[in-house]
Structure formats: C-alpha cells, structure tokens
Amino acid sequence: MATTRHPTTPRVTPGLELGIGSVAVVVLTIMLASAPLPLGMAGLAIATIVGAVLIPDWRYSLGLAVITYFLFVGFIAGDMGVLSWRGHDALWQFVAFGLAYIAGLVLRWLMHTPPPD
C-alpha cells in the first residue's frame, strides 16, 4: 500500500530550507564581496525575494532575510565582517531589504493563489 502525502504537509522541513538558503546566501556574499555596493545590494535583495518565495513558512523565510541583511551590512557595506551602521544609509538599506522581503511574500501569494472561477 502506497502512502500519499497530504497537500498541506511540507515537502521538506523548513529548517533544511533555511540551512540551504543560508549556505546559498553566504556563497553569494563571497561572490559579491568585491563588487560595487549597488550590485551587492541588488544581488542580496534578489536573494531575499527568492528566499521569501521558496520557503513556505514565513518565520524561516524571515530568518533568511535577516541573515541576508546582516551579511550585506557586515561584508558588503561594512569592512570585512564588522557590522557598522552608517546613519541614513543603513536605514535605507534596511528599508530596501524589508521591501524585498514583502515583495517576495506577495509574489509567493500570487503564485499559489488559485485562479478565480
């Protein structure tokens, strides 16, 4: 007798998805470390959107967004792992990552909403 998976059962545990996403974000951060600041911010903001779309549990996707933001502040905007807040720049960067996370949630909602009858 074959077992069937209930439609609401997650395909894998969200913790594994968070771990895989964290490794991917660290690799992306290493790749973008020598890039100009706007390119690094765009790359990690896109990673935040992708994480929010692919991880079904919002708490884990928010965790990945926070990890991504701190990696950006520490290694791309800051000096080699030093978390430094630079006034209005840090505020705008925080807002940009927040908007990227919200855009990812909206995109996930649009992708998984059933079409109207």
Side-chain angles (χ1 to χ4, degrees):
M1 176 189 243
T3 59
T4 58
R5 187 174 61 87
H6 193 271
T8 60
T9 304
R11 27 183 219 280
V12 295
T13 58
L16 287 176
E17 291 174 341
L18 175 62
I20 293 168
S22 298
V23 169
V25 167
V26 167
V27 169
L28 183 63
T29 302
I30 292 169
M31 290 171 45
L32 294 173
S34 62
L37 184 65
L39 182 63
M41 183 168 183
L44 289 179
I46 291 170
T48 301
I49 293 170
V50 170
V53 169
L54 294 180
I55 299 176
D57 191 347
W58 69 269
R59 295 169 293 194
Y60 291 95
S61 64
L62 180 62
L64 182 62
V66 168
I67 291 169
T68 305
Y69 174 70
F70 282 137
L71 284 172
F72 171 77
V73 169
F75 289 98
I76 294 179
D79 297 323
M80 300 307 295
V82 177
L83 295 176
S84 57
W85 311 103
R86 296 191 172 129
H88 292 295
D89 290 339
L91 177 64
W92 287 114
Q93 292 163 357
F94 182 75
V95 168
F97 275 91
L99 290 175
Y101 177 70
I102 291 170
L105 290 180
V106 169
L107 186 60
R108 181 178 65 194
W109 177 73
L110 289 173
M111 290 172 56
H112 296 295
T113 303
D117 291 334

